[in-house]
Amino acid sequence: MKEFIHEVVVRIIEAFKNPNLTQDEIEALNYDDYQSEVVESLIRIFRDSSDEYIKSRAMDGIMHFKDFDREEFLIKEFESADEGWQWAIIDRLGSMPTLKATSALITIAKSDSDANNRYLAARQLANYGTPSNLEDLRWIYNNDDGEDYEGFKVSDAARTTMNKVLSRHSNDSLVSE
């Protein structure tokens, strides 16, 4: 049964070259009694495919399963992903209003070896970062002199994010532009 489900999932994912699934495709993947098998198949497709559209569609499918630990999946995949997928993973984490996603973004923003990733993670923290993240953002602002591929400073991203977090939680800005 597991292989049959995998074949059905593969056919759904490979049906189109659109990176996002349609609502009908999402509903077709939502087998109530076989959700863990469907997610397992989607992960297998994501990891094994060399086609970027197929990988995108598999990722999109995985993200629609709310009972699956999507944040943990993204965190695990981040280290082995290529640069493009690391950016996509950071973007996905930035769209998740959870402590786990925010913590992963803080870790990336503070310690990833790639300044592009640190910059993007610092920017994504503006979405759901909280005052509890300000100390880490302040550290990044004071200590990270890296620049992304366009020359934008990681420290500037941290400053902008601090101001956005503070604007959601008070009327005062911590660091002036």
Side-chain angles (χ1 to χ4, degrees), residues 45-82:
I45 293 165
F46 177 79
R47 289 180 178 157
D48 295 347
S49 181
S50 59
D51 184 312
E52 295 301 315
Y53 285 105
I54 299 299
K55 286 178 79 86
S56 292
R57 290 172 59 78
M59 170 76 78
D60 193 50
I62 292 165
M63 293 300 110
H64 282 90
F65 284 89
K66 305 295 185 213
D67 293 336
F68 175 68
D69 191 344
R70 299 167 298 157
E71 293 91 340
E72 188 63 30
F73 165 75
L74 293 171
I75 292 165
K76 284 181 181 176
E77 294 300 317
F78 181 80
E79 288 305 317
S80 61
D82 66 24

mmCIF file of all heavy atoms in Angstrom, residues 45-82:
data_model
loop_
_atom_site.group_PDB
_atom_site.id
_atom_site.type_symbol
_atom_site.label_atom_id
_atom_site.label_comp_id
_atom_site.label_asym_id
_atom_site.label_seq_id
_atom_site.Cartn_x
_atom_site.Cartn_y
_atom_site.Cartn_z
ATOM 1 N N ILE A 45 10.210 12.550 -2.461
ATOM 2 C CA ILE A 45 10.254 13.249 -3.742
ATOM 3 C C ILE A 45 11.118 14.503 -3.618
ATOM 4 O O ILE A 45 11.968 14.776 -4.472
ATOM 5 C CB ILE A 45 8.830 13.598 -4.233
ATOM 6 C CG1 ILE A 45 8.057 12.323 -4.563
ATOM 7 C CG2 ILE A 45 8.881 14.545 -5.431
ATOM 8 C CD1 ILE A 45 6.563 12.538 -4.706
ATOM 9 N N PHE A 46 10.914 15.263 -2.554
ATOM 10 C CA PHE A 46 11.697 16.484 -2.351
ATOM 11 C C PHE A 46 13.195 16.178 -2.301
ATOM 12 O O PHE A 46 14.004 16.857 -2.930
ATOM 13 C CB PHE A 46 11.262 17.199 -1.064
ATOM 14 C CG PHE A 46 12.082 18.418 -0.767
ATOM 15 C CD1 PHE A 46 11.839 19.602 -1.441
ATOM 16 C CD2 PHE A 46 13.109 18.377 0.156
ATOM 17 C CE1 PHE A 46 12.612 20.733 -1.190
ATOM 18 C CE2 PHE A 46 13.888 19.492 0.420
ATOM 19 C CZ PHE A 46 13.637 20.678 -0.263
ATOM 20 N N ARG A 47 13.565 15.168 -1.563
ATOM 21 C CA ARG A 47 14.982 14.840 -1.395
ATOM 22 C C ARG A 47 15.598 14.220 -2.644
ATOM 23 O O ARG A 47 16.770 14.448 -2.930
ATOM 24 C CB ARG A 47 15.160 13.894 -0.215
ATOM 25 C CG ARG A 47 14.931 14.582 1.112
ATOM 26 C CD ARG A 47 15.100 13.638 2.267
ATOM 27 N NE ARG A 47 14.923 14.342 3.534
ATOM 28 C CZ ARG A 47 14.586 13.755 4.653
ATOM 29 N NH1 ARG A 47 14.419 12.438 4.692
ATOM 30 N NH2 ARG A 47 14.439 14.462 5.753
ATOM 31 N N ASP A 48 14.824 13.435 -3.388
ATOM 32 C CA ASP A 48 15.385 12.671 -4.498
ATOM 33 C C ASP A 48 15.315 13.362 -5.858
ATOM 34 O O ASP A 48 16.081 13.024 -6.758
ATOM 35 C CB ASP A 48 14.685 11.310 -4.611
ATOM 36 C CG ASP A 48 14.941 10.415 -3.415
ATOM 37 O OD1 ASP A 48 15.855 10.728 -2.611
ATOM 38 O OD2 ASP A 48 14.222 9.415 -3.267
ATOM 39 N N SER A 49 14.410 14.304 -6.014
ATOM 40 C CA SER A 49 14.215 14.897 -7.336
ATOM 41 C C SER A 49 15.316 15.906 -7.659
ATOM 42 O O SER A 49 15.748 16.678 -6.805
ATOM 43 C CB SER A 49 12.863 15.592 -7.419
ATOM 44 O OG SER A 49 12.688 16.134 -8.710
ATOM 45 N N SER A 50 15.725 15.905 -8.917
ATOM 46 C CA SER A 50 16.672 16.910 -9.383
ATOM 47 C C SER A 50 15.941 18.035 -10.127
ATOM 48 O O SER A 50 16.540 19.044 -10.469
ATOM 49 C CB SER A 50 17.724 16.272 -10.299
ATOM 50 O OG SER A 50 17.085 15.678 -11.407
ATOM 51 N N ASP A 51 14.646 17.851 -10.348
ATOM 52 C CA ASP A 51 13.819 18.848 -11.025
ATOM 53 C C ASP A 51 13.319 19.866 -9.993
ATOM 54 O O ASP A 51 12.602 19.518 -9.057
ATOM 55 C CB ASP A 51 12.636 18.135 -11.702
ATOM 56 C CG ASP A 51 11.772 19.077 -12.519
ATOM 57 O OD1 ASP A 51 11.400 20.155 -12.011
ATOM 58 O OD2 ASP A 51 11.439 18.704 -13.660
ATOM 59 N N GLU A 52 13.698 21.120 -10.173
ATOM 60 C CA GLU A 52 13.363 22.162 -9.191
ATOM 61 C C GLU A 52 11.855 22.386 -9.061
ATOM 62 O O GLU A 52 11.366 22.689 -7.975
ATOM 63 C CB GLU A 52 14.078 23.476 -9.529
ATOM 64 C CG GLU A 52 15.592 23.383 -9.432
ATOM 65 C CD GLU A 52 16.094 22.986 -8.040
ATOM 66 O OE1 GLU A 52 15.608 23.525 -7.042
ATOM 67 O OE2 GLU A 52 16.977 22.112 -7.971
ATOM 68 N N TYR A 53 11.115 22.255 -10.154
ATOM 69 C CA TYR A 53 9.657 22.406 -10.077
ATOM 70 C C TYR A 53 9.039 21.277 -9.252
ATOM 71 O O TYR A 53 8.146 21.505 -8.443
ATOM 72 C CB TYR A 53 9.023 22.451 -11.467
ATOM 73 C CG TYR A 53 9.241 23.769 -12.161
ATOM 74 C CD1 TYR A 53 10.155 23.876 -13.194
ATOM 75 C CD2 TYR A 53 8.544 24.902 -11.769
ATOM 76 C CE1 TYR A 53 10.370 25.086 -13.831
ATOM 77 C CE2 TYR A 53 8.743 26.113 -12.395
ATOM 78 C CZ TYR A 53 9.655 26.197 -13.425
ATOM 79 O OH TYR A 53 9.872 27.400 -14.055
ATOM 80 N N ILE A 54 9.515 20.073 -9.456
ATOM 81 C CA ILE A 54 9.001 18.926 -8.698
ATOM 82 C C ILE A 54 9.333 19.116 -7.221
ATOM 83 O O ILE A 54 8.484 18.892 -6.351
ATOM 84 C CB ILE A 54 9.596 17.598 -9.243
ATOM 85 C CG1 ILE A 54 9.212 17.387 -10.716
ATOM 86 C CG2 ILE A 54 9.191 16.424 -8.373
ATOM 87 C CD1 ILE A 54 7.742 17.284 -10.993
ATOM 88 N N LYS A 55 10.557 19.531 -6.931
ATOM 89 C CA LYS A 55 10.948 19.790 -5.543
ATOM 90 C C LYS A 55 10.054 20.871 -4.922
ATOM 91 O O LYS A 55 9.612 20.740 -3.780
ATOM 92 C CB LYS A 55 12.413 20.229 -5.449
ATOM 93 C CG LYS A 55 13.403 19.121 -5.661
ATOM 94 C CD LYS A 55 14.831 19.613 -5.619
ATOM 95 C CE LYS A 55 15.350 19.823 -4.254
ATOM 96 N NZ LYS A 55 15.919 18.668 -3.592
ATOM 97 N N SER A 56 9.779 21.929 -5.693
ATOM 98 C CA SER A 56 8.921 23.019 -5.195
ATOM 99 C C SER A 56 7.519 22.516 -4.895
ATOM 100 O O SER A 56 6.929 22.871 -3.873
ATOM 101 C CB SER A 56 8.834 24.154 -6.221
ATOM 102 O OG SER A 56 10.055 24.809 -6.345
ATOM 103 N N ARG A 57 6.998 21.700 -5.788
ATOM 104 C CA ARG A 57 5.645 21.166 -5.593
ATOM 105 C C ARG A 57 5.605 20.219 -4.394
ATOM 106 O O ARG A 57 4.641 20.221 -3.621
ATOM 107 C CB ARG A 57 5.160 20.476 -6.868
ATOM 108 C CG ARG A 57 4.875 21.479 -7.984
ATOM 109 C CD ARG A 57 4.590 20.826 -9.315
ATOM 110 N NE ARG A 57 3.448 19.924 -9.302
ATOM 111 C CZ ARG A 57 2.174 20.308 -9.333
ATOM 112 N NH1 ARG A 57 1.878 21.587 -9.371
ATOM 113 N NH2 ARG A 57 1.207 19.423 -9.344
ATOM 114 N N ALA A 58 6.644 19.417 -4.223
ATOM 115 C CA ALA A 58 6.705 18.523 -3.057
ATOM 116 C C ALA A 58 6.775 19.344 -1.771
ATOM 117 O O ALA A 58 6.070 19.049 -0.803
ATOM 118 C CB ALA A 58 7.900 17.582 -3.179
ATOM 119 N N MET A 59 7.616 20.386 -1.769
ATOM 120 C CA MET A 59 7.719 21.266 -0.590
ATOM 121 C C MET A 59 6.374 21.910 -0.297
ATOM 122 O O MET A 59 5.932 21.952 0.851
ATOM 123 C CB MET A 59 8.780 22.334 -0.828
ATOM 124 C CG MET A 59 8.816 23.454 0.212
ATOM 125 S SD MET A 59 9.555 23.000 1.766
ATOM 126 C CE MET A 59 11.266 23.070 1.315
ATOM 127 N N ASP A 60 5.713 22.404 -1.329
ATOM 128 C CA ASP A 60 4.412 23.031 -1.152
ATOM 129 C C ASP A 60 3.416 22.036 -0.551
ATOM 130 O O ASP A 60 2.654 22.378 0.355
ATOM 131 C CB ASP A 60 3.905 23.579 -2.491
ATOM 132 C CG ASP A 60 2.717 24.497 -2.330
ATOM 133 O OD1 ASP A 60 2.785 25.417 -1.488
ATOM 134 O OD2 ASP A 60 1.719 24.300 -3.052
ATOM 135 N N GLY A 61 3.444 20.815 -1.048
ATOM 136 C CA GLY A 61 2.557 19.785 -0.496
ATOM 137 C C GLY A 61 2.843 19.505 0.968
ATOM 138 O O GLY A 61 1.916 19.420 1.790
ATOM 139 N N ILE A 62 4.104 19.385 1.317
ATOM 140 C CA ILE A 62 4.493 19.131 2.714
ATOM 141 C C ILE A 62 3.977 20.244 3.620
ATOM 142 O O ILE A 62 3.469 19.982 4.709
ATOM 143 C CB ILE A 62 6.033 18.999 2.836
ATOM 144 C CG1 ILE A 62 6.511 17.730 2.129
ATOM 145 C CG2 ILE A 62 6.476 19.016 4.298
ATOM 146 C CD1 ILE A 62 8.012 17.692 1.866
ATOM 147 N N MET A 63 4.087 21.477 3.168
ATOM 148 C CA MET A 63 3.702 22.623 3.999
ATOM 149 C C MET A 63 2.196 22.691 4.254
ATOM 150 O O MET A 63 1.760 23.393 5.158
ATOM 151 C CB MET A 63 4.180 23.933 3.361
ATOM 152 C CG MET A 63 5.686 24.093 3.315
ATOM 153 S SD MET A 63 6.459 24.074 4.946
ATOM 154 C CE MET A 63 7.320 22.513 4.900
ATOM 155 N N HIS A 64 1.404 21.942 3.488
ATOM 156 C CA HIS A 64 -0.051 21.948 3.696
ATOM 157 C C HIS A 64 -0.511 20.962 4.768
ATOM 158 O O HIS A 64 -1.687 20.963 5.125
ATOM 159 C CB HIS A 64 -0.780 21.694 2.373
ATOM 160 C CG HIS A 64 -0.828 22.904 1.515
ATOM 161 N ND1 HIS A 64 0.160 23.193 0.602
ATOM 162 C CD2 HIS A 64 -1.708 23.925 1.453
ATOM 163 C CE1 HIS A 64 -0.132 24.334 0.000
ATOM 164 N NE2 HIS A 64 -1.259 24.789 0.499
ATOM 165 N N PHE A 65 0.373 20.135 5.264
ATOM 166 C CA PHE A 65 -0.008 19.171 6.303
ATOM 167 C C PHE A 65 0.259 19.781 7.675
ATOM 168 O O PHE A 65 1.376 19.769 8.175
ATOM 169 C CB PHE A 65 0.749 17.845 6.119
ATOM 170 C CG PHE A 65 0.201 17.025 4.994
ATOM 171 C CD1 PHE A 65 0.681 17.191 3.698
ATOM 172 C CD2 PHE A 65 -0.822 16.123 5.210
ATOM 173 C CE1 PHE A 65 0.163 16.459 2.648
ATOM 174 C CE2 PHE A 65 -1.354 15.383 4.163
ATOM 175 C CZ PHE A 65 -0.861 15.555 2.877
ATOM 176 N N LYS A 66 -0.796 20.310 8.270
ATOM 177 C CA LYS A 66 -0.681 21.053 9.531
ATOM 178 C C LYS A 66 -0.306 20.161 10.711
ATOM 179 O O LYS A 66 0.280 20.633 11.680
ATOM 180 C CB LYS A 66 -1.984 21.797 9.846
ATOM 181 C CG LYS A 66 -2.458 22.715 8.738
ATOM 182 C CD LYS A 66 -1.514 23.850 8.482
ATOM 183 C CE LYS A 66 -2.113 24.791 7.460
ATOM 184 N NZ LYS A 66 -1.163 25.425 6.617
ATOM 185 N N ASP A 67 -0.643 18.884 10.655
ATOM 186 C CA ASP A 67 -0.326 17.986 11.777
ATOM 187 C C ASP A 67 1.109 17.462 11.714
ATOM 188 O O ASP A 67 1.555 16.788 12.621
ATOM 189 C CB ASP A 67 -1.296 16.803 11.814
ATOM 190 C CG ASP A 67 -2.702 17.241 12.159
ATOM 191 O OD1 ASP A 67 -2.853 18.299 12.794
ATOM 192 O OD2 ASP A 67 -3.648 16.528 11.791
ATOM 193 N N PHE A 68 1.816 17.778 10.657
ATOM 194 C CA PHE A 68 3.198 17.368 10.472
ATOM 195 C C PHE A 68 4.105 18.475 11.006
ATOM 196 O O PHE A 68 3.803 19.659 10.853
ATOM 197 C CB PHE A 68 3.441 17.130 8.973
ATOM 198 C CG PHE A 68 4.859 16.819 8.618
ATOM 199 C CD1 PHE A 68 5.439 15.630 9.008
ATOM 200 C CD2 PHE A 68 5.618 17.723 7.901
ATOM 201 C CE1 PHE A 68 6.758 15.336 8.683
ATOM 202 C CE2 PHE A 68 6.925 17.439 7.563
ATOM 203 C CZ PHE A 68 7.497 16.244 7.958
ATOM 204 N N ASP A 69 5.216 18.109 11.632
ATOM 205 C CA ASP A 69 6.149 19.102 12.178
ATOM 206 C C ASP A 69 6.947 19.719 11.033
ATOM 207 O O ASP A 69 8.084 19.343 10.753
ATOM 208 C CB ASP A 69 7.072 18.452 13.214
ATOM 209 C CG ASP A 69 7.872 19.471 14.000
ATOM 210 O OD1 ASP A 69 7.952 20.647 13.572
ATOM 211 O OD2 ASP A 69 8.437 19.090 15.047
ATOM 212 N N ARG A 70 6.329 20.682 10.373
ATOM 213 C CA ARG A 70 6.921 21.320 9.198
ATOM 214 C C ARG A 70 8.206 22.072 9.548
ATOM 215 O O ARG A 70 9.163 22.048 8.779
ATOM 216 C CB ARG A 70 5.901 22.259 8.562
ATOM 217 C CG ARG A 70 4.653 21.501 8.092
ATOM 218 C CD ARG A 70 3.508 22.400 7.750
ATOM 219 N NE ARG A 70 3.111 23.144 8.939
ATOM 220 C CZ ARG A 70 2.459 24.286 8.927
ATOM 221 N NH1 ARG A 70 2.114 24.831 7.785
ATOM 222 N NH2 ARG A 70 2.129 24.897 10.036
ATOM 223 N N GLU A 71 8.210 22.721 10.704
ATOM 224 C CA GLU A 71 9.394 23.466 11.113
ATOM 225 C C GLU A 71 10.590 22.532 11.264
ATOM 226 O O GLU A 71 11.691 22.839 10.795
ATOM 227 C CB GLU A 71 9.159 24.217 12.428
ATOM 228 C CG GLU A 71 8.151 25.332 12.333
ATOM 229 C CD GLU A 71 6.737 24.878 12.656
ATOM 230 O OE1 GLU A 71 6.444 23.655 12.589
ATOM 231 O OE2 GLU A 71 5.912 25.748 12.973
ATOM 232 N N GLU A 72 10.379 21.387 11.906
ATOM 233 C CA GLU A 72 11.471 20.428 12.100
ATOM 234 C C GLU A 72 11.988 19.920 10.752
ATOM 235 O O GLU A 72 13.199 19.781 10.557
ATOM 236 C CB GLU A 72 11.018 19.258 12.979
ATOM 237 C CG GLU A 72 12.135 18.326 13.379
ATOM 238 C CD GLU A 72 13.203 19.000 14.228
ATOM 239 O OE1 GLU A 72 12.911 19.945 14.969
ATOM 240 O OE2 GLU A 72 14.366 18.557 14.136
ATOM 241 N N PHE A 73 11.086 19.654 9.847
ATOM 242 C CA PHE A 73 11.482 19.235 8.498
ATOM 243 C C PHE A 73 12.372 20.293 7.849
ATOM 244 O O PHE A 73 13.445 19.986 7.314
ATOM 245 C CB PHE A 73 10.242 18.973 7.633
ATOM 246 C CG PHE A 73 10.540 18.881 6.170
ATOM 247 C CD1 PHE A 73 11.146 17.753 5.641
ATOM 248 C CD2 PHE A 73 10.231 19.930 5.321
ATOM 249 C CE1 PHE A 73 11.437 17.672 4.287
ATOM 250 C CE2 PHE A 73 10.519 19.856 3.965
ATOM 251 C CZ PHE A 73 11.125 18.722 3.443
ATOM 252 N N LEU A 74 11.937 21.553 7.897
ATOM 253 C CA LEU A 74 12.707 22.628 7.276
ATOM 254 C C LEU A 74 14.074 22.797 7.938
ATOM 255 O O LEU A 74 15.084 22.981 7.248
ATOM 256 C CB LEU A 74 11.925 23.946 7.355
ATOM 257 C CG LEU A 74 10.646 24.000 6.516
ATOM 258 C CD1 LEU A 74 9.851 25.257 6.836
ATOM 259 C CD2 LEU A 74 10.959 23.920 5.035
ATOM 260 N N ILE A 75 14.111 22.718 9.250
ATOM 261 C CA ILE A 75 15.372 22.864 9.980
ATOM 262 C C ILE A 75 16.342 21.754 9.590
ATOM 263 O O ILE A 75 17.522 22.006 9.329
ATOM 264 C CB ILE A 75 15.107 22.887 11.503
ATOM 265 C CG1 ILE A 75 14.354 24.167 11.882
ATOM 266 C CG2 ILE A 75 16.409 22.750 12.292
ATOM 267 C CD1 ILE A 75 13.721 24.137 13.271
ATOM 268 N N LYS A 76 15.844 20.528 9.499
ATOM 269 C CA LYS A 76 16.704 19.397 9.116
ATOM 270 C C LYS A 76 17.201 19.532 7.682
ATOM 271 O O LYS A 76 18.350 19.221 7.381
ATOM 272 C CB LYS A 76 15.953 18.068 9.276
ATOM 273 C CG LYS A 76 15.836 17.615 10.703
ATOM 274 C CD LYS A 76 15.109 16.287 10.775
ATOM 275 C CE LYS A 76 14.967 15.827 12.210
ATOM 276 N NZ LYS A 76 14.196 14.590 12.317
ATOM 277 N N GLU A 77 16.340 19.981 6.790
ATOM 278 C CA GLU A 77 16.708 20.096 5.383
ATOM 279 C C GLU A 77 17.663 21.258 5.123
ATOM 280 O O GLU A 77 18.415 21.233 4.157
ATOM 281 C CB GLU A 77 15.467 20.244 4.502
ATOM 282 C CG GLU A 77 14.574 19.031 4.475
ATOM 283 C CD GLU A 77 15.261 17.779 3.959
ATOM 284 O OE1 GLU A 77 15.995 17.849 2.955
ATOM 285 O OE2 GLU A 77 15.070 16.716 4.578
ATOM 286 N N PHE A 78 17.640 22.257 5.976
ATOM 287 C CA PHE A 78 18.432 23.473 5.747
ATOM 288 C C PHE A 78 19.919 23.177 5.559
ATOM 289 O O PHE A 78 20.539 23.670 4.618
ATOM 290 C CB PHE A 78 18.236 24.468 6.900
ATOM 291 C CG PHE A 78 19.001 25.737 6.711
ATOM 292 C CD1 PHE A 78 18.515 26.739 5.881
ATOM 293 C CD2 PHE A 78 20.219 25.940 7.338
ATOM 294 C CE1 PHE A 78 19.220 27.907 5.681
ATOM 295 C CE2 PHE A 78 20.938 27.107 7.149
ATOM 296 C CZ PHE A 78 20.438 28.091 6.318
ATOM 297 N N GLU A 79 20.485 22.392 6.439
ATOM 298 C CA GLU A 79 21.936 22.159 6.398
ATOM 299 C C GLU A 79 22.402 21.484 5.117
ATOM 300 O O GLU A 79 23.475 21.802 4.609
ATOM 301 C CB GLU A 79 22.370 21.330 7.606
ATOM 302 C CG GLU A 79 22.333 22.101 8.911
ATOM 303 C CD GLU A 79 23.149 23.398 8.883
ATOM 304 O OE1 GLU A 79 24.278 23.388 8.357
ATOM 305 O OE2 GLU A 79 22.650 24.402 9.385
ATOM 306 N N SER A 80 21.615 20.573 4.579
ATOM 307 C CA SER A 80 22.042 19.845 3.381
ATOM 308 C C SER A 80 21.561 20.499 2.078
ATOM 309 O O SER A 80 21.940 20.069 0.998
ATOM 310 C CB SER A 80 21.554 18.396 3.439
ATOM 311 O OG SER A 80 20.146 18.359 3.479
ATOM 312 N N ALA A 81 20.765 21.550 2.201
ATOM 313 C CA ALA A 81 20.207 22.203 1.006
ATOM 314 C C ALA A 81 21.250 23.079 0.321
ATOM 315 O O ALA A 81 22.167 23.599 0.957
ATOM 316 C CB ALA A 81 18.999 23.055 1.408
ATOM 317 N N ASP A 82 21.073 23.245 -0.996
ATOM 318 C CA ASP A 82 21.939 24.192 -1.699
ATOM 319 C C ASP A 82 21.471 25.613 -1.383
ATOM 320 O O ASP A 82 20.452 25.813 -0.718
ATOM 321 C CB ASP A 82 21.971 23.906 -3.201
ATOM 322 C CG ASP A 82 20.641 24.140 -3.907
ATOM 323 O OD1 ASP A 82 19.795 24.924 -3.426
ATOM 324 O OD2 ASP A 82 20.431 23.528 -4.967
#
